[in-house]
Amino acid sequence: MDITQLILDDHAEQRRLFSIIEQIEPKDVDALSAVWLRLSAFLDVHAEAEERFFYPDLMKLGEGANDADEGTVEGETEDAIEDHNKLRDAVKAVGAHAVGSPAWFAAVGEANVVNSKHMGEEERQGLTDFRLNADVATRHALAVRFAAFEAEHITGVKPVNKDPEAYVEAHG
């Protein structure tokens, strides 16, 4: 088991759930509500798990990969925390609209855009960086903790934005 693979698997599941929402009729508010509830909880839990288990070790072991902000692991991590905050805000914004309405679908679409941009960066930067710089035993140990956290919080966590600079300072 490897934390980078677990994160990639989560990304695939997030993409799948967004795709499911796109294929449900707007009038089927029960199905839309159920899938959105699952997806929004999953997005929050995934971000929190990364912030607890992945990024602190990336800060210790990484060097900055590919197009990382400022070419450093600190820039890479700060950008990821900012992205998580934007995603939490986008997820929250969905709740301001009636499920199935054009505005609701637009807000879900915006959350998808924010999430997709973040996942692409993370896959090119943080995950690549970690595979290059963390040994298999470390990646396995973190995967166990990551998977356990997600399983314990299957119904969600309280979404809390974090100050990116303070996060990097605390974990760097």
Side-chain angles (χ1 to χ4, degrees):
M1 187 167 31
D2 181 330
I3 191 167
T4 63
Q5 187 59 53
L6 289 182
I7 291 171
L8 285 172
D9 293 346
D10 279 5
H11 289 180
E13 179 64 4
Q14 292 164 20
R15 289 177 176 109
R16 186 182 78 84
L17 290 167
F18 274 113
S19 175
I20 288 170
I21 288 172
E22 293 168 353
Q23 298 172 66
I24 298 173
E25 291 293 322
K27 66 184 179 221
D28 194 347
V29 295
D30 290 339
L32 289 170
S33 295
V35 176
W36 176 250
L37 180 65
R38 171 66 192 122
L39 175 55
S40 62
F42 186 43
L43 292 168
D44 288 335
V45 170
H46 175 82
E48 185 65 29
E50 286 183 344
E51 291 168 358
R52 287 181 184 215
F53 306 112
F54 177 68
Y55 281 101
D57 275 59
L58 177 64
M59 294 281 297
K60 294 173 189 153
L61 302 171
E63 298 175 358
N66 296 322
D67 60 339
D69 279 8
E70 304 168 22
T72 67
V73 69
E74 292 82 10
E76 185 176 309
T77 301
E78 191 172 309
D79 182 59
I81 302 306
E82 288 174 6
D83 288 350
H84 286 173
N85 290 341
K86 289 176 188 173
L87 182 56
R88 288 180 186 107
D89 293 343
V91 167
K92 183 179 178 183
V94 173
H97 307 286
V99 176
S101 68
W104 184 85
F105 274 104
V108 170
E110 179 58 26
N112 191 1
V113 169
V114 169
N115 193 51
S116 294
K117 287 180 181 179
H118 167 67
M119 289 187 302
E121 287 179 352
E122 188 170 71
E123 290 167 6
R124 285 190 317 275
Q125 298 168 5
L127 297 182
T128 297
D129 196 356
F130 210 66
R131 281 190 297 268
L132 292 172
N133 294 297
D135 61 44
V136 173
T138 299
R139 296 195 321 253
H140 175 80
L142 288 173
V144 171
R145 293 170 61 206
F146 188 93
F149 179 85
E150 286 191 327
E152 288 173 19
H153 298 89
I154 191 80
T155 59
V157 295
K158 181 179 179 186
V160 177
N161 284 349
K162 295 170 179 69
D163 179 287
E165 291 176 10
Y167 181 92
V168 167
E169 187 174 313
H171 297 290

CSV table of all heavy atoms in Angstrom, one decimal, residues 122-143:
chain,number,residue,atom,x,y,z
A,122,GLU,N,-1.5,18.6,-7.9
A,122,GLU,CA,-1.0,17.6,-6.9
A,122,GLU,C,-0.4,16.4,-7.5
A,122,GLU,O,0.6,15.9,-7.0
A,122,GLU,CB,-2.2,17.3,-6.0
A,122,GLU,CG,-1.8,16.5,-4.7
A,122,GLU,CD,-2.9,16.4,-3.8
A,122,GLU,OE1,-3.9,15.6,-4.1
A,122,GLU,OE2,-2.9,17.0,-2.7
A,123,GLU,N,-1.0,15.9,-8.5
A,123,GLU,CA,-0.5,14.7,-9.2
A,123,GLU,C,0.9,15.0,-9.9
A,123,GLU,O,1.8,14.1,-9.8
A,123,GLU,CB,-1.5,14.2,-10.2
A,123,GLU,CG,-2.7,13.6,-9.5
A,123,GLU,CD,-3.9,13.3,-10.4
A,123,GLU,OE1,-3.8,13.5,-11.6
A,123,GLU,OE2,-5.0,13.0,-9.8
A,124,ARG,N,1.0,16.2,-10.4
A,124,ARG,CA,2.3,16.5,-11.1
A,124,ARG,C,3.4,16.9,-10.1
A,124,ARG,O,4.6,16.7,-10.3
A,124,ARG,CB,2.2,17.8,-12.0
A,124,ARG,CG,1.5,17.5,-13.3
A,124,ARG,CD,1.6,18.8,-14.2
A,124,ARG,NE,1.4,20.0,-13.5
A,124,ARG,CZ,0.2,20.6,-13.3
A,124,ARG,NH1,-0.9,20.0,-13.7
A,124,ARG,NH2,0.1,21.8,-12.7
A,125,GLN,N,3.0,17.5,-9.0
A,125,GLN,CA,3.9,18.1,-8.0
A,125,GLN,C,4.1,17.2,-6.8
A,125,GLN,O,5.1,16.4,-6.7
A,125,GLN,CB,3.5,19.5,-7.6
A,125,GLN,CG,3.4,20.4,-8.8
A,125,GLN,CD,2.7,21.7,-8.5
A,125,GLN,OE1,2.3,22.0,-7.3
A,125,GLN,NE2,2.5,22.6,-9.5
A,126,GLY,N,3.2,17.3,-5.8
A,126,GLY,CA,3.4,16.6,-4.5
A,126,GLY,C,3.5,15.1,-4.6
A,126,GLY,O,4.4,14.5,-4.0
A,127,LEU,N,2.6,14.5,-5.4
A,127,LEU,CA,2.7,13.0,-5.5
A,127,LEU,C,4.0,12.6,-6.2
A,127,LEU,O,4.7,11.6,-5.8
A,127,LEU,CB,1.5,12.4,-6.2
A,127,LEU,CG,0.1,12.7,-5.5
A,127,LEU,CD1,-1.0,12.0,-6.3
A,127,LEU,CD2,0.2,12.2,-4.1
A,128,THR,N,4.4,13.2,-7.3
A,128,THR,CA,5.6,12.9,-7.9
A,128,THR,C,6.8,13.1,-7.0
A,128,THR,O,7.7,12.3,-6.9
A,128,THR,CB,5.8,13.8,-9.2
A,128,THR,OG1,4.8,13.5,-10.1
A,128,THR,CG2,7.2,13.6,-9.8
A,129,ASP,N,6.8,14.3,-6.3
A,129,ASP,CA,7.9,14.6,-5.4
A,129,ASP,C,8.0,13.5,-4.3
A,129,ASP,O,9.1,13.1,-4.0
A,129,ASP,CB,7.5,16.0,-4.7
A,129,ASP,CG,8.7,16.6,-4.0
A,129,ASP,OD1,9.8,16.0,-3.9
A,129,ASP,OD2,8.5,17.8,-3.6
A,130,PHE,N,6.8,13.1,-3.8
A,130,PHE,CA,6.9,12.1,-2.7
A,130,PHE,C,7.4,10.7,-3.2
A,130,PHE,O,8.1,10.1,-2.5
A,130,PHE,CB,5.5,12.0,-2.0
A,130,PHE,CG,5.5,11.6,-0.6
A,130,PHE,CD1,6.1,12.4,0.3
A,130,PHE,CD2,5.0,10.4,-0.2
A,130,PHE,CE1,6.2,12.1,1.7
A,130,PHE,CE2,5.1,10.0,1.2
A,130,PHE,CZ,5.6,10.9,2.1
A,131,ARG,N,6.9,10.3,-4.4
A,131,ARG,CA,7.4,9.1,-4.9
A,131,ARG,C,8.9,9.1,-5.1
A,131,ARG,O,9.6,8.1,-4.9
A,131,ARG,CB,6.7,8.7,-6.2
A,131,ARG,CG,5.3,8.2,-6.0
A,131,ARG,CD,4.7,7.6,-7.3
A,131,ARG,NE,4.5,8.7,-8.3
A,131,ARG,CZ,3.4,9.4,-8.5
A,131,ARG,NH1,2.4,9.2,-7.7
A,131,ARG,NH2,3.4,10.3,-9.4
A,132,LEU,N,9.4,10.2,-5.5
A,132,LEU,CA,10.9,10.4,-5.7
A,132,LEU,C,11.7,10.4,-4.5
A,132,LEU,O,12.9,10.0,-4.4
A,132,LEU,CB,11.2,11.6,-6.6
A,132,LEU,CG,10.7,11.6,-8.0
A,132,LEU,CD1,10.9,13.0,-8.7
A,132,LEU,CD2,11.4,10.5,-8.8
A,133,ASN,N,11.1,10.9,-3.4
A,133,ASN,CA,11.9,11.2,-2.2
A,133,ASN,C,11.5,10.5,-0.9
A,133,ASN,O,12.3,10.6,0.1
A,133,ASN,CB,11.8,12.7,-1.9
A,133,ASN,CG,12.5,13.5,-3.0
A,133,ASN,OD1,13.7,13.3,-3.2
A,133,ASN,ND2,11.8,14.3,-3.8
A,134,ALA,N,10.4,9.8,-0.9
A,134,ALA,CA,10.0,9.0,0.3
A,134,ALA,C,10.2,7.5,0.0
A,134,ALA,O,9.8,7.0,-1.1
A,134,ALA,CB,8.6,9.3,0.7
A,135,ASP,N,10.7,6.8,1.0
A,135,ASP,CA,10.9,5.4,0.7
A,135,ASP,C,9.6,4.6,0.9
A,135,ASP,O,8.6,5.2,1.3
A,135,ASP,CB,11.9,4.8,1.7
A,135,ASP,CG,11.6,4.9,3.2
A,135,ASP,OD1,10.4,4.7,3.5
A,135,ASP,OD2,12.5,5.3,4.0
A,136,VAL,N,9.6,3.4,0.4
A,136,VAL,CA,8.3,2.6,0.4
A,136,VAL,C,7.8,2.4,1.8
A,136,VAL,O,6.5,2.4,1.9
A,136,VAL,CB,8.6,1.2,-0.4
A,136,VAL,CG1,7.4,0.3,-0.3
A,136,VAL,CG2,9.0,1.5,-1.8
A,137,ALA,N,8.6,2.2,2.8
A,137,ALA,CA,8.1,1.9,4.1
A,137,ALA,C,7.4,3.2,4.6
A,137,ALA,O,6.3,3.0,5.3
A,137,ALA,CB,9.3,1.6,5.0
A,138,THR,N,7.9,4.3,4.4
A,138,THR,CA,7.2,5.6,4.8
A,138,THR,C,5.9,5.7,4.1
A,138,THR,O,4.9,6.1,4.7
A,138,THR,CB,8.1,6.8,4.5
A,138,THR,OG1,9.3,6.7,5.2
A,138,THR,CG2,7.4,8.1,4.8
A,139,ARG,N,5.9,5.5,2.8
A,139,ARG,CA,4.7,5.6,2.0
A,139,ARG,C,3.6,4.6,2.5
A,139,ARG,O,2.4,4.9,2.5
A,139,ARG,CB,5.0,5.5,0.5
A,139,ARG,CG,5.9,6.6,0.0
A,139,ARG,CD,5.9,6.7,-1.5
A,139,ARG,NE,6.0,5.6,-2.3
A,139,ARG,CZ,7.0,5.1,-3.0
A,139,ARG,NH1,8.2,5.8,-2.9
A,139,ARG,NH2,7.0,4.0,-3.7
A,140,HIS,N,4.1,3.4,2.9
A,140,HIS,CA,3.1,2.4,3.4
A,140,HIS,C,2.6,2.8,4.7
A,140,HIS,O,1.3,2.8,5.0
A,140,HIS,CB,3.8,1.0,3.5
A,140,HIS,CG,2.9,0.0,4.1
A,140,HIS,ND1,1.9,-0.6,3.4
A,140,HIS,CD2,2.9,-0.4,5.4
A,140,HIS,CE1,1.3,-1.5,4.3
A,140,HIS,NE2,1.8,-1.4,5.5
A,141,ALA,N,3.4,3.2,5.6
A,141,ALA,CA,3.0,3.6,7.0
A,141,ALA,C,2.0,4.8,6.9
A,141,ALA,O,1.0,4.8,7.6
A,141,ALA,CB,4.2,4.0,7.8
A,142,LEU,N,2.2,5.8,6.1
A,142,LEU,CA,1.3,6.9,5.9
A,142,LEU,C,0.0,6.4,5.3
A,142,LEU,O,-1.1,6.9,5.6
A,142,LEU,CB,1.9,8.0,5.1
A,142,LEU,CG,3.0,8.8,5.8
A,142,LEU,CD1,3.7,9.7,4.8
A,142,LEU,CD2,2.5,9.5,7.0
A,143,ALA,N,0.1,5.5,4.3
A,143,ALA,CA,-1.1,4.9,3.7
A,143,ALA,C,-2.1,4.3,4.7
A,143,ALA,O,-3.3,4.5,4.6
A,143,ALA,CB,-0.8,4.0,2.6
